[in-house]
Amino acid sequence: MTNIITMPKIISKLTKAKLGFTKAYIRKNGLPSWWDKELDTKPIAVLEGAGYIADRLGLDLKSLLSADIEVKIEPQPETKCKKRVNQDDIN
């Protein structure tokens, strides 16, 4: 038997993860504006919606889709800044 992922299951997992996300916040800010509740049970649409949620909320997609793994925040890349070079430093 396969484990079918639906959007309500993903949203429930996120709200139980104690990351501070509410159902309304996830639907408003995580999903695209064209998302409709009819897409909540269509597997391909749910995968695409999960990708949007992971990208927009900074979450690890694999942990979001897997029932066995706790939802993880995606680590942010290290910030790199350019420094101004003084003329005295060049010589």
Side-chain angles (χ1 to χ4, degrees):
M1 183 173 155
T2 60
N3 186 10
I4 298 174
I5 300 171
T6 63
M7 192 53 67
K9 285 183 182 178
I10 291 173
I11 291 173
S12 175
K13 182 177 180 175
L14 275 173
T15 56
K16 291 178 183 177
K18 298 183 182 180
L19 294 173
F21 298 122
T22 63
K23 181 179 177 180
Y25 182 85
I26 296 165
R27 287 214 177 260
K28 182 179 178 187
N29 298 305
L31 291 171
S33 61
W34 49 263
W35 190 267
D36 189 359
K37 289 198 179 218
E38 291 178 7
L39 300 173
D40 281 356
T41 56
K42 296 183 180 180
I44 298 297
V46 171
L47 287 175
E48 186 172 351
Y52 274 95
I53 290 172
D55 187 46
R56 291 179 174 181
L57 302 181
L59 303 172
D60 178 48
L61 180 60
K62 184 177 179 182
S63 69
L64 187 62
L65 293 174
S66 176
D68 302 334
I69 302 174
E70 186 176 325
V71 178
K72 298 177 187 173
I73 297 174
E74 185 72 29
Q76 298 298 315
E78 183 180 330
T79 303
K80 297 181 181 181
C81 300
K82 292 184 178 182
K83 295 181 181 180
R84 182 175 175 220
V85 178
N86 291 331
Q87 291 296 327
D88 295 336
D89 293 340
I90 295 175
N91 297 329

